[in-house]
Amino acid sequence: MTVYKALTIAGSDSGGGAGIQADLKTFQELGVFGMSAITAVTAQNTLGVQGVYPLSAEAVAAQIESVAVDLGVDALKTGMLFSADIIRTVAEQVKKHGWERLVVDPVMIAKGGAPLLQEEAVAALKEALLPLAFVITPNIPEAEVLTGIAIRTMDDRREAARLLHRMGARYVVIKGGHDDDGEETVDLLYNGSEFSYFKSKRIDTRHTHGTGCTFAAAVAAELAKGRHPVDAVGTAKSFVQAAISHSLGIGQGHGPTNHWAYRQYGE
Ligand SMILES: Nc1ncnc2c1ncn2[C@@H]1O[C@H](COP(=O)(O)OP(=O)(O)O)[C@@H](O)[C@H]1O
Ligand SMILES: Cc1ncc(COP(=O)(O)O)c(N)n1
């Protein structure tokens, strides 16, 4: 039996809906062995982020190194990286181990508004990590910060995707969850020459905590199996759609999605 292995480098969400917890659940559901390097511990629930406790860059490097020298990594994803120091360390590790199937989810701000990336770390993200990304998965506000383009229309989104590709990411997905006009959510994918669109019915719900993490983790899981990025994004879109459609209704605020819905109910 071939065991596919994926590594997430991200923050811990004590509430279990986003971050490392969402990533590992998603890897497991998609039949991939999940491993983790924690960058920061957050005290968090569906109401918001109550505390952020970053780890040192050295502690992050040590976790990645332990996984690399023994288990091996078929694909990896990054989420909350918090500081420029951690970003540079992660970039060095990715280069050192020659990992190509890297999904960068440029997490900046939690849905409730708490910062998960220091402002001064955005430059490091652009310079050190973005050029190593096989797939980058910003939401609209993150794509705006990375490119400086104000995104109002699909044309603006395509322009931002072209720029992110020029900045070094091989495949660019600009997710459409924040574009709440209309009946559909559309995720845009750019491969450097063509655009593809992944559409689904927009679900009217406040239970979307962790959708971005879940989406990027599903892309990484499918890449770990050797699938093409376009197919990986297609599966990720279906996975997240099922997870939002069958949400669990737990917590008093923005609840988590249902990570077992795709397996239990299909798309
Ligand atoms: N209300 C919704 N209905 C259906 N899909 C959604 C909804 N909100 C987000 N999504 C999907 O969830 C994923 C994450 O989207 P987005 O909200 O843009 O990112 P983030 O969680 O990083 O802010 C995307 O695939 C997007 O299409
Ligand atoms: C530790 C951690 N990482 C990432 C997110 C972003 O979550 P979302 O997917 O809802 O944008 C979060 N809230 N907490």
Side-chain angles (χ1 to χ4, degrees):
M1 182 176 80
T2 309
V3 178
Y4 299 109
K5 291 158 286 179
L7 169 67
T8 167
I9 305 172
S12 165
D13 168 9
S14 52
I20 288 277
Q21 288 77 1
D23 297 344
L24 292 176
K25 291 174 193 181
T26 303
F27 292 164
Q28 180 79 11
E29 290 294 324
L30 290 170
V32 169
F33 183 76
M35 304 169 293
S36 63
I38 295 181
T39 56
V41 172
T42 70
Q44 191 175 172
N45 55 27
T46 66
L47 297 170
V49 178
Q50 290 83 40
V52 174
Y53 307 90
L55 269 71
S56 66
E58 188 192 350
V60 176
Q63 295 171 78
I64 300 172
E65 198 67 38
S66 294
V67 169
V69 298
D70 180 32
L71 293 136
V73 171
D74 296 309
L76 71 159
K77 70 147 286 213
T78 62
M80 171 187 182
L81 295 175
F82 191 68
S83 69
D85 250 14
I86 294 179
I87 290 170
R88 288 201 197 91
T89 299
V90 169
E92 276 162 27
Q93 286 284 327
V94 169
K95 283 193 274 190
K96 175 176 171 188
H97 300 295
W99 290 326
E100 288 182 358
R101 300 200 144 223
L102 167 67
V103 180
V104 174
D105 182 19
V107 170
M108 293 181 187
I109 297 173
K111 292 234 158 65
L116 302 176
L117 181 73
Q118 293 175 326
E119 256 178 65
E120 61 272 22
V122 173
L125 189 61
K126 291 204 280 196
E127 285 155 26
L129 202 59
L130 207 152
L132 304 177
F134 188 51
V135 183
I136 188 166
T137 62
N139 60 25
I140 290 174
E142 289 158 356
E144 292 185 318
V145 171
L146 292 173
T147 62
I149 295 172
I151 301 178
R152 311 257 182 274
T153 64
M154 198 46 97
D155 265 347
D156 299 334
R157 239 208 275 182
R158 282 188 284 264
E159 194 49 39
R162 283 191 200 95
L163 183 51
L164 287 167
H165 186 267
R166 279 204 295 279
M167 289 161 77
R170 291 266 299 281
Y171 289 84
V172 178
V173 181
I174 305 185
K175 300 169 294 185
H178 294 248
D179 173 12
D180 51 16
D181 280 2
E183 308 271 286
E184 288 182 322
T185 50
V186 183
D187 296 347
L188 169 91
L189 171 69
Y190 182 57
N191 66 4
S193 58
E194 307 173 328
F195 293 96
S196 344
Y197 303 87
F198 296 83
K199 298 181 182 176
S200 66
K201 184 173 168 292
R202 169 172 293 281
I203 299 154
D204 184 18
T205 175
R206 64 194 168 105
H207 301 307
T208 55
H209 176 62
T211 49
C213 305
T214 301
F215 177 84
V219 175
E222 294 304 303
L223 291 178
K225 298 173 189 170
R227 292 186 72 204
H228 190 278
V230 175
D231 299 329
V233 170
T235 298
K237 178 71 174 150
S238 303
F239 188 95
V240 94
Q241 183 75 11
I244 301 171
S245 309
H246 301 279
S247 72
L248 301 164
I250 58 173
Q252 300 161 55
H254 293 283
T257 68
N258 178 348
H259 289 97
W260 64 76
Y262 182 74
R263 173 169 49 87
Q264 186 163 355
Y265 308 104
E267 295 176 21

